[in-house]
Amino acid sequence: MSVKQIAILFSGEGSNMEVLIKKLHQKRFDDFEVEVVAAITNKPDAKGIKKADDLGIDVIMIDHKSYDSREAFDMKLVETLQDLDVDLTILAGFMRILTPVFTDTIKAINIHPALLPLYKGADALKRSFEGKETTAGVTAHLVVSEVDGGEMVLQKSFDKTGMDFDTFEEKIHACEHEIFPKAVIKVLQNLH
Ligand code: GAR
């Protein structure tokens, strides 16, 4: 049985990271097992650090403020992921725009709190809440150099009619936690 190695990048709360570790780490799927080899953050005060620690996952700190350019930061990420021999990199609330230094080299999947191609980019959750559509949702997609522009892997939508912001936010996170682990497995199953 083969082992597929993943690393999870996060910047804040880390709720998606926590769910991914609990649902995937050292679990068996078809003919492979998943190993979360590290959680990587760019934020020294990220709340998710404790969550990863508590689950026994090594946390690597790469503070973007220590680098002179986006490219230099991305190169450090690439080198770290290559040293870890990662098969798939997971962006779980990783709030950095990535340059082609990263996107041309690293196979990665991201979770976005909107129904792409609607509401690409920053503040998507708030903009989706305020948008005129009655349907909202979340998207797991592959990462390319265009921000939130890669191939969709899975989406989940819901009717947001009558929801206040807190209920909407909770629903978005519940949808993310439901589809993101499934989307990661789907991509891993298709890796050669
Ligand atoms: C999630 O809602 C995720 O979709 C969003 O950040 C949140 C992280 O929450 N990501 C983006 O907006 C990326 N553009 P978490 O830290 O609790 O997983």
Side-chain angles (χ1 to χ4, degrees), residues 13-16 93 95 111-113 173 176:
E13 208 54 54
S15 72
N16 278 284
M95 300 307 194
I111 190 78
H112 188 74
H173 290 308
E176 291 180 340

PDB file of all heavy atoms in Angstrom, residues 13-16 93 95 111-113 173 176, ligand 1:
ATOM      1  N   GLU A  13      -7.405  30.706  11.876  1.00  0.00           N
ATOM      2  CA  GLU A  13      -8.159  29.834  12.771  1.00  0.00           C
ATOM      3  C   GLU A  13      -7.776  28.355  12.603  1.00  0.00           C
ATOM      4  O   GLU A  13      -7.665  27.611  13.565  1.00  0.00           O
ATOM      5  CB  GLU A  13      -9.638  30.036  12.433  1.00  0.00           C
ATOM      6  CG  GLU A  13     -10.626  29.800  13.528  1.00  0.00           C
ATOM      7  CD  GLU A  13     -10.368  30.584  14.808  1.00  0.00           C
ATOM      8  OE1 GLU A  13     -10.233  31.820  14.762  1.00  0.00           O
ATOM      9  OE2 GLU A  13     -10.290  29.925  15.846  1.00  0.00           O
ATOM     10  N   GLY A  14      -7.643  27.923  11.377  1.00  0.00           N
ATOM     11  CA  GLY A  14      -7.229  26.544  11.128  1.00  0.00           C
ATOM     12  C   GLY A  14      -8.326  25.506  11.290  1.00  0.00           C
ATOM     13  O   GLY A  14      -8.045  24.326  11.502  1.00  0.00           O
ATOM     14  N   SER A  15      -9.598  25.925  11.158  1.00  0.00           N
ATOM     15  CA  SER A  15     -10.666  24.932  11.342  1.00  0.00           C
ATOM     16  C   SER A  15     -10.670  23.905  10.203  1.00  0.00           C
ATOM     17  O   SER A  15     -10.908  22.712  10.434  1.00  0.00           O
ATOM     18  CB  SER A  15     -12.037  25.605  11.471  1.00  0.00           C
ATOM     19  OG  SER A  15     -12.482  26.118  10.244  1.00  0.00           O
ATOM     20  N   ASN A  16     -10.390  24.355   8.987  1.00  0.00           N
ATOM     21  CA  ASN A  16     -10.319  23.389   7.877  1.00  0.00           C
ATOM     22  C   ASN A  16      -9.135  22.440   8.069  1.00  0.00           C
ATOM     23  O   ASN A  16      -9.255  21.238   7.822  1.00  0.00           O
ATOM     24  CB  ASN A  16     -10.217  24.117   6.539  1.00  0.00           C
ATOM     25  CG  ASN A  16     -11.565  24.572   6.044  1.00  0.00           C
ATOM     26  OD1 ASN A  16     -12.358  23.779   5.543  1.00  0.00           O
ATOM     27  ND2 ASN A  16     -11.855  25.857   6.201  1.00  0.00           N
ATOM     28  N   GLY A  93      -7.242  28.144   4.120  1.00  0.00           N
ATOM     29  CA  GLY A  93      -7.229  29.468   4.740  1.00  0.00           C
ATOM     30  C   GLY A  93      -5.827  30.047   4.759  1.00  0.00           C
ATOM     31  O   GLY A  93      -5.424  30.671   5.740  1.00  0.00           O
ATOM     32  N   MET A  95      -3.690  32.820   3.550  1.00  0.00           N
ATOM     33  CA  MET A  95      -4.058  34.134   3.015  1.00  0.00           C
ATOM     34  C   MET A  95      -2.880  34.855   2.379  1.00  0.00           C
ATOM     35  O   MET A  95      -2.525  35.969   2.770  1.00  0.00           O
ATOM     36  CB  MET A  95      -4.660  34.984   4.137  1.00  0.00           C
ATOM     37  CG  MET A  95      -5.896  34.363   4.756  1.00  0.00           C
ATOM     38  SD  MET A  95      -7.148  33.923   3.526  1.00  0.00           S
ATOM     39  CE  MET A  95      -8.554  33.664   4.592  1.00  0.00           C
ATOM     40  N   ILE A 111      -9.415  25.876  -0.716  1.00  0.00           N
ATOM     41  CA  ILE A 111     -10.846  26.003  -0.427  1.00  0.00           C
ATOM     42  C   ILE A 111     -11.198  27.481  -0.456  1.00  0.00           C
ATOM     43  O   ILE A 111     -10.470  28.307   0.086  1.00  0.00           O
ATOM     44  CB  ILE A 111     -11.224  25.342   0.923  1.00  0.00           C
ATOM     45  CG1 ILE A 111     -12.736  25.262   1.097  1.00  0.00           C
ATOM     46  CG2 ILE A 111     -10.577  26.020   2.109  1.00  0.00           C
ATOM     47  CD1 ILE A 111     -13.411  24.182   0.345  1.00  0.00           C
ATOM     48  N   HIS A 112     -12.330  27.796  -1.103  1.00  0.00           N
ATOM     49  CA  HIS A 112     -12.732  29.199  -1.254  1.00  0.00           C
ATOM     50  C   HIS A 112     -14.193  29.341  -0.804  1.00  0.00           C
ATOM     51  O   HIS A 112     -15.044  28.535  -1.199  1.00  0.00           O
ATOM     52  CB  HIS A 112     -12.583  29.616  -2.719  1.00  0.00           C
ATOM     53  CG  HIS A 112     -12.793  31.077  -2.943  1.00  0.00           C
ATOM     54  ND1 HIS A 112     -11.859  32.024  -2.569  1.00  0.00           N
ATOM     55  CD2 HIS A 112     -13.830  31.758  -3.482  1.00  0.00           C
ATOM     56  CE1 HIS A 112     -12.319  33.230  -2.866  1.00  0.00           C
ATOM     57  NE2 HIS A 112     -13.506  33.096  -3.425  1.00  0.00           N
ATOM     58  N   PRO A 113     -14.482  30.402  -0.013  1.00  0.00           N
ATOM     59  CA  PRO A 113     -15.828  30.503   0.569  1.00  0.00           C
ATOM     60  C   PRO A 113     -16.855  31.159  -0.343  1.00  0.00           C
ATOM     61  O   PRO A 113     -17.624  32.023   0.092  1.00  0.00           O
ATOM     62  CB  PRO A 113     -15.567  31.355   1.824  1.00  0.00           C
ATOM     63  CG  PRO A 113     -14.450  32.253   1.421  1.00  0.00           C
ATOM     64  CD  PRO A 113     -13.584  31.445   0.498  1.00  0.00           C
ATOM     65  N   HIS A 173     -18.692  27.471   6.680  1.00  0.00           N
ATOM     66  CA  HIS A 173     -17.652  26.616   7.265  1.00  0.00           C
ATOM     67  C   HIS A 173     -18.103  25.151   7.299  1.00  0.00           C
ATOM     68  O   HIS A 173     -17.301  24.255   7.023  1.00  0.00           O
ATOM     69  CB  HIS A 173     -17.258  27.120   8.649  1.00  0.00           C
ATOM     70  CG  HIS A 173     -16.490  28.414   8.589  1.00  0.00           C
ATOM     71  ND1 HIS A 173     -15.381  28.578   7.794  1.00  0.00           N
ATOM     72  CD2 HIS A 173     -16.688  29.612   9.179  1.00  0.00           C
ATOM     73  CE1 HIS A 173     -14.916  29.810   7.909  1.00  0.00           C
ATOM     74  NE2 HIS A 173     -15.704  30.462   8.739  1.00  0.00           N
ATOM     75  N   GLU A 176     -17.568  23.804   3.897  1.00  0.00           N
ATOM     76  CA  GLU A 176     -16.132  23.601   3.640  1.00  0.00           C
ATOM     77  C   GLU A 176     -15.653  22.318   4.304  1.00  0.00           C
ATOM     78  O   GLU A 176     -14.956  21.504   3.681  1.00  0.00           O
ATOM     79  CB  GLU A 176     -15.327  24.790   4.169  1.00  0.00           C
ATOM     80  CG  GLU A 176     -15.554  26.059   3.382  1.00  0.00           C
ATOM     81  CD  GLU A 176     -14.746  27.247   3.894  1.00  0.00           C
ATOM     82  OE1 GLU A 176     -14.292  27.232   5.049  1.00  0.00           O
ATOM     83  OE2 GLU A 176     -14.591  28.201   3.129  1.00  0.00           O
TER      84      GLU A 176
HETATM   85  C1  GAR B   1     -12.132  29.634   5.078  1.00  0.00           C
HETATM   86  O1  GAR B   1     -13.454  30.096   5.063  1.00  0.00           O
HETATM   87  C2  GAR B   1     -11.560  29.637   3.677  1.00  0.00           C
HETATM   88  O2  GAR B   1     -12.516  29.380   2.691  1.00  0.00           O
HETATM   89  C3  GAR B   1     -11.058  31.043   3.566  1.00  0.00           C
HETATM   90  O3  GAR B   1     -10.505  31.319   4.830  1.00  0.00           O
HETATM   91  C4  GAR B   1     -11.239  30.611   5.825  1.00  0.00           C
HETATM   92  C5  GAR B   1     -10.236  29.928   6.736  1.00  0.00           C
HETATM   93  O4  GAR B   1     -10.872  29.370   7.843  1.00  0.00           O
HETATM   94  N1  GAR B   1     -10.094  31.163   2.509  1.00  0.00           N
HETATM   95  C6  GAR B   1     -10.046  32.178   1.671  1.00  0.00           C
HETATM   96  O5  GAR B   1     -10.790  33.127   1.731  1.00  0.00           O
HETATM   97  C7  GAR B   1      -8.956  32.071   0.625  1.00  0.00           C
HETATM   98  N2  GAR B   1      -9.135  33.071  -0.367  1.00  0.00           N
HETATM   99  P1  GAR B   1     -10.118  28.316   8.748  1.00  0.00           P
HETATM  100  O6  GAR B   1      -8.759  28.938   9.092  1.00  0.00           O
HETATM  101  O7  GAR B   1     -10.967  28.180   9.973  1.00  0.00           O
HETATM  102  O8  GAR B   1      -9.971  27.037   7.984  1.00  0.00           O
END
